[in-house]
Amino acid sequence: MSTPSLDRMSQGFTPGSPIGVSDWILVTQEMIDAFGAVTLDPDRMHVDPRWAVANGPFGGTIAFGFLTIALLTRMFHTATGQGWDADPAIDGYMLNYGFDRLRLVSPIRAGTRVRGHFETADVRQDEKSRRITAIDCEIEIEGAARPALVARWLTAWVPPAA
């Protein structure tokens, strides 16, 4: 079954409208270790469970903040039902454009599930005819009172080349 193109889907984004809620993602120690290896960051609070239990402020290892941010893309795809099979030459593409604001509110402990909530905050056209969409995001930690992340994420829709 094909999924809607991001262009058609994102045209329906109107300020204040919910976009969706992602599937749950289990943040494993293996995921955290791999992120640390790829980013060349061996911080013990993240990659050394024994040290983190004995010395860390959270009673165990936690996900890197930038890993938390990086999960937004996967979460957005599952929240919108948009797969990875779109052809940018035909459908255009959505680029990360940055963040107007971003806060890492609560740490994500290894072994915890998280999911993303997305709502359209604003849509505008820029001088290059790209559709700039501001998306309010929250990463929920299963069973926690406070989210892991709150942000206003900016995306730029680039239409296919004429």
Side-chain angles (χ1 to χ4, degrees):
M1 179 171 124
S2 68
T3 56
S5 79
L6 270 175
D7 182 41
R8 285 194 312 273
M9 179 194 61
S10 67
Q11 286 179 18
F13 292 173
T14 56
S17 68
I19 294 171
V21 178
S22 76
D23 295 342
W24 288 103
I25 296 173
L26 177 63
V27 178
T28 65
Q29 186 61 52
E30 293 78 16
M31 183 187 297
I32 295 167
D33 293 345
F35 190 87
V38 166
T39 59
L40 307 176
D41 187 348
D43 188 325
R44 288 180 172 179
M45 182 169 36
H46 304 292
V47 301
D48 187 338
R50 277 188 268 194
W51 183 92
V53 167
N55 303 296
F58 304 109
T61 56
I62 60 169
F64 289 87
F66 283 110
L67 171 57
T68 303
I69 297 164
L71 291 173
L72 284 170
T73 300
R74 173 65 183 178
M75 290 175 174
F76 186 79
H77 279 274
T78 67
T80 61
Q82 176 61 36
W84 300 97
D85 56 353
D87 182 349
I90 296 169
D91 298 318
Y93 53 93
M94 192 175 280
L95 291 175
N96 288 317
Y97 197 60
F99 292 89
D100 273 348
R101 63 175 172 75
L102 185 143
R103 295 292 181 267
L104 296 165
V105 180
S106 298
I108 300 171
R109 302 252 336 243
T112 302
R113 292 190 336 155
V114 295
R115 66 179 173 181
H117 298 257
F118 302 92
E119 181 176 299
T120 306
D122 187 44
V123 180
R124 65 179 172 82
Q125 202 83 9
D126 76 0
E127 66 283 351
K128 295 180 181 178
S129 296
R130 299 176 299 187
R131 188 169 48 248
I132 307 299
T133 304
I135 302 167
D136 285 337
C137 312
E138 182 174 297
I139 295 182
E140 171 189 2
I141 303 170
E142 187 174 42
R146 294 171 43 123
L149 172 150
V150 293
R152 177 155 293 170
W153 183 17
L154 303 176
T155 65
W157 173 259
V158 180

